[in-house]
């Protein structure tokens, strides 16, 4: 990722943070709409899960400028996801739900440059997670 992409991701996430509860609900609604097969992997009461999602995103987004420092946390997260039943093929639909949520949450702030920055960030991090969790490289697309 370029420094400009990191800046765009961080600035756009700062604009989503005030609506984090709504954004998290939108994300999971969209995820379950496009990939209903993943719904059983989640608890019935999603309040805590939504909070965890936004907290994890905040850590990752804030750490993008020093990616090597957050890689151990990303790797640990990937390993935990395997225990929850996540599979490598879930990563692309999660990415699609995330990008959709950001587009809706940012409205006019969702520019081509912001979309490209978020796509690059998600592809980079999900590739690390997939490699860690399943010991094989795979594109998130």
């Amino acid at each position: 990722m370029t420094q400009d992409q990191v800046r765009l991701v961080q600035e756009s996430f700062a604009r989503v943070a005030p609506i984090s509860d709504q954004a998290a609900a939108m994300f999971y609604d969209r995820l379950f709409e496009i990939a209903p097969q993943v719904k059983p992997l989640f608890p019935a009461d999603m309040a805590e899960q939504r909070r965890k999602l936004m907290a994890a995103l905040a850590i990752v987004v804030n750490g993008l400028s020093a990616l090597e420092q957050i890689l151990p946390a990303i790797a640990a997260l990937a390993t935990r996801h395997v225990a929850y039943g996540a599979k490598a093929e879930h990563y692309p639909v999660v990415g699609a739900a995330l990008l959709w949520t950001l587009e809706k949450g940012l409205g006019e702030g969702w520019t081509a440059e912001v979309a490209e920055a978020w796509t690059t960030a998600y592809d980079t991090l999900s590739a690390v997670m997939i490699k860690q969790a399943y010991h094989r490289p795979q594109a998130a697309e």
Side-chain angles (χ1 to χ4, degrees):
M1 290 189 70
T2 68
Q3 288 297 20
D4 280 342
Q5 288 175 320
V6 169
R7 179 186 52 77
L8 286 169
V9 168
Q10 291 174 337
E11 288 175 358
S12 60
F13 187 73
R15 291 193 305 271
V16 172
I19 60 161
S20 63
D21 290 340
Q22 180 185 0
M26 289 171 56
F27 167 80
Y28 283 111
D29 287 348
R30 180 66 174 170
L31 179 62
F32 298 154
E33 177 184 325
I34 63 175
Q37 70 274 17
V38 303
K39 191 167 185 168
L41 302 178
F42 293 90
D45 181 1
M46 291 292 293
E48 180 67 12
Q49 184 65 35
R50 289 189 296 267
R51 187 196 64 72
K52 286 180 181 179
L53 168 70
M54 297 310 290
L57 278 173
I59 290 168
V60 170
V61 166
N62 290 331
L64 283 177
S65 49
L67 191 57
E68 64 284 347
Q69 293 178 6
I70 63 167
L71 287 179
I74 297 297
L77 182 63
T79 302
R80 283 195 309 275
H81 278 113
V82 172
Y84 303 144
K87 298 179 179 172
E89 59 266 24
H90 295 148
Y91 282 80
V93 293
V94 167
L98 176 63
L99 296 176
W100 179 89
T101 301
L102 291 164
E103 179 180 4
K104 299 302 177 199
L106 291 168
E108 292 180 7
W110 183 254
T111 64
E113 293 82 15
V114 170
E116 181 181 349
W118 273 99
T119 299
T120 300
Y122 185 80
D123 289 350
T124 300
L125 294 170
S126 64
V128 168
M129 292 178 75
I130 290 167
K131 184 176 181 185
Q132 171 65 32
Y134 309 102
H135 307 290
R136 60 185 162 112
Q138 178 174 331
E141 296 176 47

